Amino acid sequence: MPNNKVEPGFTRYLTPEGQLHTPLPAWADDFNLLTRLYRHMVLTRVFDQKAVALQRTGRIGTYAPTLGQEAIGVAIGSLMRSEDVLIPYYRDTAVQLMRGVRMEEILLYWGGDERGSDYAEPAVAEDFPLCVPIATQALHACGVASAFKIRGEHRVAVTTCGDGATSKGDFLEALNVAGAWQLPIVFVINNNQWAISVPRRIQCGAPTLAQKAIGAGFHGEQVDGNDILAVYDRMQIALERTRQGKGPVLLECLSYRLGDHTTADDATRYRAAEEVKQAWQEEPVKRLQAFLAAQGVWDEGRELALIAECQGLVQQAVTAFDNAGTQSAESVIDHVYAKWPAALAEQREWFLERAQRHAGGEDHGQ
Amino acid sequence: MKYFKLPDLGEGLQEAEIVEWHVKAGDTVKADQRLVSVETAKAIVDIPAPYDGVISKLYGADGDILHVGEPLLAFEGEGDAGTVVGRLEGGGGSEDDRFFIGAAPSTREHLVTRATPGVRQLARQLGVDLASLNGSGEAGLVTRADVEGAAQAARDRFGGEKLRGVRRSMALNMARAHAEVVPVTIFGDADLHRWGQARDPLIRLGKAMAAACAVEPVLNSWFDGKSLSIRQHQQLDLGIAVDTPDGLFVPVLRDVGQRDPEDLKAGMSRLRADLKARSIPPGEMMGATLTLSNFGTLFGRYANPIVVPPQVAIVGAGSIRDEPVALNGEVVVHPILPLSLTFDHRAVTGGEAARFFKAMVEALEKPE
Amino acid sequence: MANDKVTLLEAVNLALHRAMAEDENVLVLGEDVGVNGGVFRATQGLRDAFGFKRVIDTPLAETMLGGLVVGMAAQGLKPVLEIQFMGFIYAAMEHLVSHASRMRNRTRGRITCPMVLRTPMGAGIRAPEHHSESTEALFAHIPGLRVVIPSSPARAYGLLLAAIDDPDPVIFLEPTRLYRMNPQPLADDGKRLPLDSCFTLREGSDITLISWGASVHETLQAAQALAEQGVSAEVIDVACIKPLDLDTLEASVRKTGRCVIVHEAPRSCGVGAEIAASLYERAWLDLQAPIQRVTAPDIPPPLYRLESLYIPGVDDILHACNSVVHFA
């Protein structure tokens, strides 16, 4: 039998300790950029942990933490243009924040309020909301990319998913149509090694997830998802290529889910403390911090100031969230159709009357 | 096992070194009790217990470095939330889960006769018991024909000769009157010793009733039980019960109060003649405002005659006979006319009836 | 050409041509819709008229198609997706139920889904297995969707144009059996029909016959037979299955006091059940007899040899009418 073995490329610039693994690309000379990237990762982490704390105190509902995967979202979010469109999955706090979704909107979404998906920021008006049915977003992204292509626009659809999602028919059908139609789309896989309790090794028989692109006729590669310089570099190239109409790209980012699957999950049930401990050694924030410190552009003073600044921003967002109140009863019914059908007018009356009889609404959270 | 993980230590700090444990496996701790001291990049921090519990296991020895989110220790007890989203409420009373397979026994026993509302109503009217019928309609539905057939069968079982004409009317009218009227009867006597020659009391009775109407006009009224309204009449049109071989007829002698006795007598003769000839126009039998039943021409003393709506009263006159009466302390024999007044207590009070009666008797007891 | 007779299929084609000509955002996609003009020729001529960018032959992947149109519609295109047969729609259901029907609501109107999904439905064309589905009830149950089933060329034309206009997702089910039957004159005048109305096809006073899809054909025949027996039947084509125009149905049933509902879909939990329950709620005092439903039994459609045992026929409808007219 002929040998089918393929080896998609793998990119890493920094070792886990933040030292040079491979010579840096030219753009990485810009320490302002690197510092900005670092800042965004820290802000993401501070906000992410606040979200977890809010869930623990019953002020928002189930939340999917991003702990340990900040590099991926910050990198792709910072590279996308405002006219590009993000079609995320549900563990995408980092990229949402980079795109311009407000922190209080993220809290509203997980806090059980649809206004969290009605982004105020015009720059993200066309970004999709988070997606729960696994991998279905990949097909929506293909639809978005199709629209770009049909209209001749130089815009890119960027869609994210986890390692588990790549097993799903929707994902494979998305790759297929993207390849068949050479769509302007970048698929970013956050391979954090775990699909709830199912480890990567039993999720798929292929040695890499990146090589699924080959079956669909386009380019796929792996990148160290804990190395923001690597993610940034490869994503930049992927976006440029795709934007030029050279077809889709699949970027598999190797990371680790340092937190639980969600705030309701307990990962200690199915994975060893040793493994998690080891993964902490490779995490992205400390890695970049070490590199920046070694270059002399970061120190404890700046770190403290940054933490304080981030905490302030997060607190502002929490206050805004607390002040958001509750949606009206009408809002529950009036957005189902462009205009609530006359045939169902009686239902609407009954519903609103019933809502009035209910004592107040539910507080957000729980 | 409930895991307690290293909580967010604030200020972006991600890891801490265990300096000293203050509890050990097996200890019972209270919320906020100091569990362990850890050293961060900034300071030594004490970590309190998040709730009451019993420690089952410690993770990490002195000197180990733990990261935020890693298990610090485990509490005994059911810690598994058993979900990855939301929160499943537990608790609640655990009662026996009892159930019937299929319908409850009372449902199975509930045999209802199926009939449309219209057919049910008909059955009620005809006095037919629905439950006793087998419905001939689909799925045992009781039909109109079923009900009518049952009613007819009930009638046929009785046999006998069907009433017609006047007798039939009497049956219907009496039943209706009985259903509507609330009858009360007063009995009394008229002492006719001043009359001189005993005469046919009919006309005298009529005139006496007219006199009584002047005293208590309410008894000369028509009453409608449905609308609860009453209509007084100005003149007395007296229905006079006449027994004929064809049955009971009640022709009406008009304006008894105003006409003189000769005229009334002649009128009455004409009515009797027309009745006998069976040529009486129906109009002559309608519109009575009061009725007199002079059954005394046949036999009897007192009675409870039937008030015929819309009238509110009827007078019954029995046979005149000589009776001993007390007069000035002595027993004498006088001709006595027994009288009965039945009135509809929906429209007439006892007082009104009694006064009417008294006035009638006073009029009767006069010489002429 | 204004009053040439056209079939339901040709009416669909005319409507698609017009919609695409009027709005450059409208595009047609599906398997075999482009070069081949669709397996039933519903999309004939569109590719020549509007080009390959707007009339797209897609890979064979109904799940993909369901998700693709969600993305396209979010971007302001108006995709008209053809699923080759209703039997293959189920792979796309997740996207219809979980996304298309909810996108407007869950983003509070920020992102919407103005898509149309067209597919042939129903039995009676001697097709192989899985080509005879009548599962409109599944979609009628989903909040946020519209479900439309035309039964004549004129209604197919007017309703399809309206469906393409509509800012919300529409499932447009075309009765395969009626595709080439009963051609009627049709003016290609672009006139839309309302998407929230029933259509009274025959006025009557003694009994209301309610139906949709291919069964309208048999229902009209039954009404004619009833007329010959002196029973005046009113025939209503529901057409807009969701949302349901209960006011029209109620008014008719109040007038006649008797009702028979005819649908090809299996009985249990069919749309007839919703209509019957609603009519009982609104008009039970006006009913002279229970409402009868004439439907297929609760079985998958048989292979075609015994299809006639499955599809409600004129005799079945007359039998039901008889029991209703002569009730108690």
Side-chain angles (χ1 to χ4, degrees):
Chain A
M1 300 279 265
N3 188 354
N4 260 355
K5 200 154 188 251
V6 292
E7 287 186 11
F10 174 81
T11 306
R12 162 188 281 189
Y13 290 109
L14 297 179
T15 68
E17 296 74 28
Q19 290 164 353
L20 274 190
H21 175 271
T22 305
L24 294 181
W27 62 263
D29 285 344
D30 182 354
F31 285 156
N32 286 332
L33 169 63
L34 267 48
T35 310
R36 274 204 311 281
L37 293 176
Y38 178 74
R39 179 183 179 281
H40 284 299
M41 285 203 286
V42 170
L43 178 59
T44 301
R45 184 165 290 188
V46 170
F47 170 72
D48 192 70
Q49 291 189 328
K50 174 58 90 174
V52 171
L54 288 174
Q55 189 279 335
R56 297 275 183 248
T57 49
R59 289 163 69 190
I60 66 170
T62 310
Y63 172 73
T66 305
L67 186 64
Q69 302 139 83
E70 297 86 350
I72 302 168
V74 169
I76 70 180
S78 63
L79 284 163
M80 286 174 70
R81 293 188 190 167
S82 63
E83 68 266 24
D84 295 335
V85 171
L86 175 72
I87 303 97
Y89 70 125
Y90 56 82
R91 194 185 303 286
D92 271 315
T93 297
V95 62
Q96 279 187 299
L97 291 176
M98 285 310 300
R99 289 285 292 162
V101 177
R102 295 179 185 171
M103 285 190 267
E104 55 269 28
E105 285 170 340
I106 296 178
L107 294 177
L108 279 170
Y109 173 83
W110 296 101
D113 190 318
E114 285 90 345
R115 291 176 293 175
S117 293
D118 184 10
Y119 305 144
E121 201 54 56
V124 284
E126 296 177 43
D127 279 9
F128 270 55
L130 296 184
C131 187
V132 170
I134 303 294
T136 53
Q137 72 278 4
L139 288 171
H140 305 158
C142 290
V144 171
S146 298
F148 295 159
K149 183 156 182 157
I150 288 167
R151 295 194 295 236
E153 295 165 347
H154 296 293
R155 301 162 70 183
V156 178
V158 175
T159 185
T160 54
C161 68
D163 39 293
T166 66
S167 298
K168 194 126 181 270
D170 291 62
F171 179 79
L172 300 167
E173 292 190 27
L175 295 188
N176 185 65
V177 72
W181 290 355
Q182 291 293 288
L183 292 176
I185 180 170
V186 177
F187 298 91
V188 179
I189 301 174
N190 175 5
N191 178 0
N192 63 18
Q193 314 304 319
W194 289 95
I196 310 186
S197 67
V198 176
R200 161 64 180 92
R201 91 189 120 73
I202 64 173
Q203 189 66 248
C204 177
T208 74
L209 301 175
Q211 67 201 71
K212 295 193 183 210
I214 296 168
F218 60 90
H219 173 78
E221 60 180 85
Q222 287 184 316
V223 63
D224 185 342
N226 289 320
D227 174 1
I228 194 168
L229 303 187
V231 182
Y232 191 95
D233 187 52
R234 300 314 297 172
M235 186 65 184
Q236 189 173 60
I237 291 168
L239 279 171
E240 200 179 301
R241 178 193 169 96
T242 303
R243 200 182 303 284
Q244 288 168 13
K246 293 184 180 157
V249 175
L250 175 58
L251 204 60
E252 179 190 356
C253 304
L254 301 173
S255 67
Y256 194 88
R257 198 193 74 203
L258 289 176
D260 300 315
H261 168 67
T262 61
T263 46
D265 176 47
D266 180 3
T268 59
R269 285 173 62 81
Y270 50 80
R271 55 186 199 184
E274 276 316 305
E275 181 186 305
V276 180
K277 217 185 189 60
Q278 180 56 43
W280 269 104
Q281 304 305 315
E282 323 223 352
E283 72 105 335
V285 173
K286 209 166 58 162
R287 190 184 298 206
L288 185 60
Q289 187 196 80
F291 175 74
L292 290 176
Q295 308 310 309
V297 298
W298 200 254
D299 55 51
E300 189 176 334
R302 296 176 73 163
E303 178 74 15
L304 289 175
L306 175 61
I307 300 291
E309 185 197 343
C310 290
Q311 286 175 333
L313 289 170
V314 169
Q315 188 49 52
Q316 272 173 37
V318 173
T319 303
F321 166 70
D322 282 340
N323 292 337
T326 314
Q327 294 179 94
S328 66
E330 279 84 354
S331 68
V332 172
I333 207 168
D334 284 342
H335 293 287
V336 176
Y337 291 95
K339 187 165 179 289
W340 186 256
L344 301 175
E346 218 175 291
Q347 248 191 53
R348 184 175 187 279
E349 255 176 61
W350 160 81
F351 176 80
L352 292 178
E353 192 222 327
R354 176 178 177 270
Q356 241 182 3
R357 275 187 280 122
H358 266 261
E362 303 244 314
D363 279 339
H364 51 72
Q366 298 309 308
Chain B
M1 297 238 262
K2 247 194 286 204
Y3 294 103
F4 174 48
K5 300 177 189 172
L6 185 69
D8 180 6
L9 304 168
E11 304 189 22
L13 297 161
Q14 297 306 318
E15 58 193 36
E17 180 180 324
I18 297 175
V19 171
E20 189 190 347
W21 281 108
H22 302 292
V23 296
K24 58 186 185 310
D27 282 356
T28 303
V29 299
K30 292 205 113 4
D32 294 327
Q33 181 176 332
R34 192 175 59 151
L35 294 175
V36 61
S37 298
V38 301
E39 182 169 3
T40 70
K42 319 240 2 256
I44 297 192
V45 175
D46 285 339
I47 309 237
Y51 34 71
D52 297 353
V54 176
I55 311 285
S56 102
K57 183 176 171 174
L58 302 181
Y59 289 95
D62 296 0
D64 278 353
I65 295 186
L66 286 180
H67 290 96
V68 167
E70 286 184 53
L72 200 51
L73 55 77
F75 283 93
E76 270 176 24
E78 196 51 65
D80 180 9
T83 177
V84 288
V85 289
R87 186 184 66 207
L88 273 63
E89 296 293 347
S94 186
E95 290 169 16
D96 269 347
D97 182 8
R98 293 202 199 152
F99 52 90
F100 302 109
I101 296 176
S106 65
T107 308
R108 278 184 259 240
E109 286 156 20
H110 181 66
L111 300 165
V112 67
T113 315
R114 295 178 63 239
T116 64
V119 170
R120 284 181 193 280
Q121 169 81 326
L122 179 65
R124 271 195 294 274
Q125 278 171 0
L126 297 181
V128 173
D129 176 20
L130 271 183
S132 68
L133 298 183
N134 285 325
S136 65
E138 206 176 308
L141 187 73
V142 173
T143 66
R144 182 164 285 268
D146 291 334
V147 170
E148 284 169 347
Q152 186 56 45
R155 287 180 227 133
D156 292 342
R157 264 197 298 282
F158 181 79
E161 189 191 312
K162 286 226 179 305
L163 292 180
R164 285 178 224 297
V166 177
R167 293 211 83 98
R168 181 181 154 82
S169 300
M170 180 177 76
L172 289 170
N173 290 334
M174 293 302 152
R176 184 167 65 88
H178 180 68
E180 287 180 29
V181 173
V182 181
V184 177
T185 305
I186 308 181
F187 303 114
D189 298 314
D191 188 333
L192 303 184
H193 77 279
R194 294 208 195 87
W195 277 21
Q197 286 291 74
R199 346 169 152 254
D200 174 13
L202 185 70
I203 302 306
R204 285 290 310 259
L205 274 164
K207 291 306 261 185
M209 286 173 74
C213 286
V215 171
E216 280 291 357
V218 70
L219 276 85
N220 190 33
S221 303
W222 280 349
F223 172 74
D224 176 32
K226 287 193 189 64
S227 66
L228 294 180
S229 28
I230 191 157
R231 196 166 111 198
Q232 267 188 27
H233 298 285
Q234 299 310 310
Q235 69 186 45
L236 171 61
D237 292 336
L238 188 59
I240 305 203
V242 176
D243 178 59
T244 74
D246 293 326
L248 168 67
F249 288 84
V250 190
V252 183
L253 206 50
R254 308 274 169 198
D255 202 5
V256 168
Q258 297 304 321
R259 290 158 71 183
D260 62 51
E262 291 309 315
D263 183 20
L264 289 171
K265 197 159 177 204
M268 197 63 217
S269 299
R270 253 195 323 278
L271 287 171
R272 281 193 210 278
D274 285 346
L275 273 174
K276 199 164 171 195
R278 294 193 179 119
S279 64
I280 187 161
E284 297 300 329
M285 309 231 273
M286 286 167 49
T289 62
L290 263 172
T291 301
L292 170 63
S293 173
N294 189 14
F295 59 85
T297 54
L298 296 170
F299 185 83
R301 294 173 67 171
Y302 304 105
N304 292 311
I306 304 295
V307 176
V308 181
Q311 297 170 55
V312 300
I314 181 170
V315 172
S319 304
I320 302 172
R321 67 185 204 178
D322 289 333
E323 293 186 25
V325 300
L327 186 61
N328 298 326
E330 289 184 1
V331 176
V332 292
V333 176
H334 284 175
I336 301 297
L337 170 61
L339 290 165
S340 313
L341 168 67
T342 304
F343 64 93
D344 186 343
H345 210 326
R346 293 179 299 165
V348 177
T349 69
E352 288 158 350
R355 283 189 289 276
F356 176 95
F357 206 147
K358 185 171 175 196
M360 184 172 76
V361 167
E362 280 173 359
L364 274 171
E365 287 183 346
K366 287 196 176 112
E368 283 295 353
Chain C
M1 301 275 250
N3 285 315
D4 277 4
K5 290 193 173 185
V6 301
T7 62
L8 195 148
L9 197 60
E10 288 162 344
V12 166
N13 188 262
L14 285 172
L16 289 171
H17 270 275
R18 177 167 282 274
M20 293 188 77
E22 287 177 0
D23 182 356
E24 62 180 8
N25 285 314
V26 176
L27 48 97
V28 161
L29 64 159
E31 295 156 27
D32 307 294
V33 300
V35 173
N36 199 31
V39 292
F40 288 110
R41 317 291 175 256
T43 52
Q44 183 127 274
L46 291 174
R47 191 181 174 104
D48 287 343
F50 300 103
F52 68 92
K53 277 194 180 164
R54 292 182 65 194
V55 183
I56 306 170
D57 281 318
T58 66
L60 205 169
E62 279 78 10
T63 303
M64 178 276 289
L65 289 171
L68 192 79
V69 294
V70 169
M72 286 178 162
Q75 273 292 306
L77 294 177
K78 290 186 161 186
V80 181
L81 168 64
E82 178 178 303
I83 296 287
Q84 210 157 83
F85 288 90
M86 195 172 195
F88 311 131
I89 203 174
Y90 308 117
M93 267 199 92
E94 178 168 25
H95 285 279
L96 295 170
V97 173
S98 301
H99 296 293
S101 73
R102 297 177 208 229
M103 195 57 82
R104 175 188 294 278
N105 183 54
R106 60 190 290 254
T107 61
R108 288 302 182 248
R110 180 173 71 83
I111 296 188
T112 65
C113 192
M115 59 164 275
V116 175
L117 186 157
R118 296 178 37 249
T119 189
M121 59 117 43
I125 63 165
R126 295 166 70 88
E129 291 179 285
H130 297 286
H131 290 70
S132 304
E133 302 296 285
S134 246
T135 45
E136 66 271 20
L138 297 178
F139 302 95
H141 190 60
I142 306 301
L145 292 182
R146 290 183 179 271
V147 179
V148 176
I149 308 181
S151 68
S152 80
R155 287 188 286 287
Y157 180 79
L159 290 171
L160 182 54
L161 285 174
I164 295 171
D165 280 353
D166 195 84
D168 292 310
V170 181
I171 313 294
F172 193 84
L173 303 171
E174 297 163 4
T176 328
R177 188 155 64 90
L178 298 184
Y179 262 162
R180 301 213 169 102
M181 277 172 87
N182 301 332
Q184 292 169 4
L186 176 70
D188 184 8
D189 56 8
K191 266 232 218 60
R192 275 69 168 157
L193 285 169
L195 289 182
D196 50 11
S197 200
C198 295
F199 303 99
T200 303
L201 305 185
R202 184 186 175 122
E203 202 167 352
S205 55
D206 295 331
I207 184 171
T208 301
L209 303 182
I210 298 174
S211 188
W212 57 89
S215 295
V216 168
H217 181 70
E218 279 71 35
T219 304
L220 285 168
Q221 289 181 333
Q224 185 53 40
L226 285 169
E228 286 153 21
Q229 294 168 26
V231 175
S232 161
E234 182 147 289
V235 176
I236 301 182
D237 175 9
V238 177
C240 299
I241 303 298
K242 184 186 183 83
L244 200 50
D245 172 17
L246 283 166
D247 286 348
T248 297
L249 299 176
E250 176 193 347
S252 176
V253 169
R254 280 185 187 243
K255 178 177 73 171
T256 65
R258 295 169 203 273
C259 178
V260 170
I261 302 169
V262 186
H263 65 66
E264 190 181 302
R267 186 177 187 75
S268 295
C269 303
V271 177
E274 169 68 31
I275 294 174
S278 299
L279 287 174
Y280 277 121
E281 274 171 7
R282 293 173 171 227
W284 81 278
L285 288 171
D286 306 283
L287 285 169
Q288 304 294 324
I291 297 172
Q292 293 282 341
R293 289 177 291 161
V294 181
T295 70
D298 288 330
I299 60 174
L303 293 191
Y304 75 80
R305 254 198 235 186
L306 292 177
E307 229 173 12
S308 62
L309 297 183
Y310 176 82
I311 302 174
V314 178
D315 283 345
D316 302 311
I317 302 172
L318 288 174
H319 183 79
C321 290
N322 192 53
S323 81
V324 160
V325 165
H326 296 116
F327 185 81

